[in-house]
Amino acid sequence: MNASGNSFSIRSIFTDFKEITKAGLAISVLFSSIAGYLLGVNEAYPFSWRVLTMLMVGGYCMVGASNAFNQVIEKDLDAKMDRTKNRPVPAGRMTPNVALFVASSLTIIGLILLYLINPKTAMFGAISIFLYTSVYTPLKTMTPLSVFVGAFPGAIPFMLGWVAATDDFGIEAGTLFLIQFFWQFPHFWSIGWFLYEDYEKAGFFMLPSGKKDRSTALQTILYTVWLMIASLLPCLGYTGRFFITPISAGIVFLLGVWMLFYAVKLYQLRTAQAAKRLMLVSVSYITLLQIVYILDKFLR
């Protein structure tokens, strides 16, 4: 019974750790950083398992810390929403002080690991966690502009990998940042749409017009178009060492058309189901886009 109890306790702690750091989200964010790193390495900046490992662990710590701080700050609001009421802090399985300790520890560990890669990587990691917890989180109950602010820390991971590989923030890293920045809007507005009623319970303002209406759907289409344009910039020859071939550009364009189709569907139907489809497509889009970029680099 003792062994069984200890096993259950350890399993529960591990489960709560995954929930407070949002392990699924953190891993998907890490994929962006890994993609950026692979795009950045070359003869001058050779691949290093040591650097990649520190980027992965440090990156997880930074994302996990942001999510943990967020859950401490929003514990009372999380308790009001069906989607979040069973998280460790609002459910009472973890005290706010313990969650704060976890978040602070992850921040320190993450910053140290990223600094060991290079100071620029640590700096951008610190900016990300500051913007997410100190600016984006409080703004969620004040203004729909919170999504715009949140798009900045959300766009950092893709370009963070490039900075980790090269110790440089130039046109290449800036382009990676721009792509993931524009991606944030259709992705999070679609989430805000199909979870509108749940967000409303906590007083979160996630949609640009504040409502599930044509204006929000139209802006989702416009930002999807901006995303398509940004994603095709590497084929124009103005983005330095980060470029793609015409064949890959064609694939990227088709991926954009695929996502645009579902953005238009949201405008036409304006239903929660259409919004959820767009959200799922947006996740597939950014993953496939990064895979295309990587394959283009290593197969051309």
Side-chain angles (χ1 to χ4, degrees), residues 51-241:
V51 171
L52 182 60
T53 301
M54 288 193 295
L55 176 64
M56 291 170 62
V57 178
Y60 186 97
C61 286
M62 298 305 289
V63 177
S66 296
N67 291 327
F69 278 128
N70 174 269
Q71 290 180 49
V72 172
I73 296 167
E74 294 182 347
K75 63 183 187 302
D76 296 329
L77 299 177
D78 280 348
K80 298 179 180 181
M81 296 188 291
D82 295 333
R83 185 178 62 92
T84 56
K85 65 185 180 183
N86 289 320
R87 285 175 175 174
V89 179
R93 297 192 306 275
M94 184 182 294
T95 66
N97 286 339
V98 169
L100 194 60
F101 174 78
V102 171
S104 301
S105 300
L106 289 173
T107 301
I108 294 168
I109 295 169
L111 283 176
I112 290 173
L113 289 172
L114 296 182
Y115 186 84
L116 290 174
I117 296 174
N118 60 60
K120 288 190 183 74
T121 304
M123 178 189 72
F124 283 118
I127 291 172
S128 175
I129 198 170
F130 172 78
L131 288 176
Y132 189 88
T133 58
S134 301
V135 186
Y136 165 68
T137 296
L139 282 178
K140 286 166 67 179
T141 57
M142 300 179 188
T143 172
L145 286 174
S146 61
V147 174
F148 174 77
V149 175
F152 283 89
I156 285 177
F158 198 11
M159 68 87 165
L160 193 71
W162 185 284
V163 176
T166 65
D167 192 16
D168 178 59
F169 180 84
I171 186 65
E172 300 91 349
T175 303
L176 296 178
F177 176 89
L178 190 66
I179 292 166
Q180 198 146 11
F181 178 79
F182 282 123
W183 173 82
Q184 305 284 319
F185 295 94
H187 176 69
F188 281 104
W189 285 339
S190 61
I191 294 174
W193 189 297
F194 74 82
L195 291 176
Y196 181 83
E197 287 74 18
D198 212 24
Y199 279 132
E200 197 174 32
K201 295 174 186 175
F204 287 151
F205 300 95
M206 303 300 289
L207 300 181
S209 70
K211 301 176 183 178
K212 299 188 290 182
D213 57 13
R214 285 184 181 274
S215 175
T216 288
L218 179 60
Q219 290 186 64
T220 302
I221 291 173
L222 292 176
Y223 274 86
T224 301
V225 172
W226 281 116
L227 169 62
M228 291 176 66
I229 294 171
S231 299
L232 288 168
L233 288 177
C235 75
L236 300 179
Y238 297 105
T239 53
R241 200 161 55 79

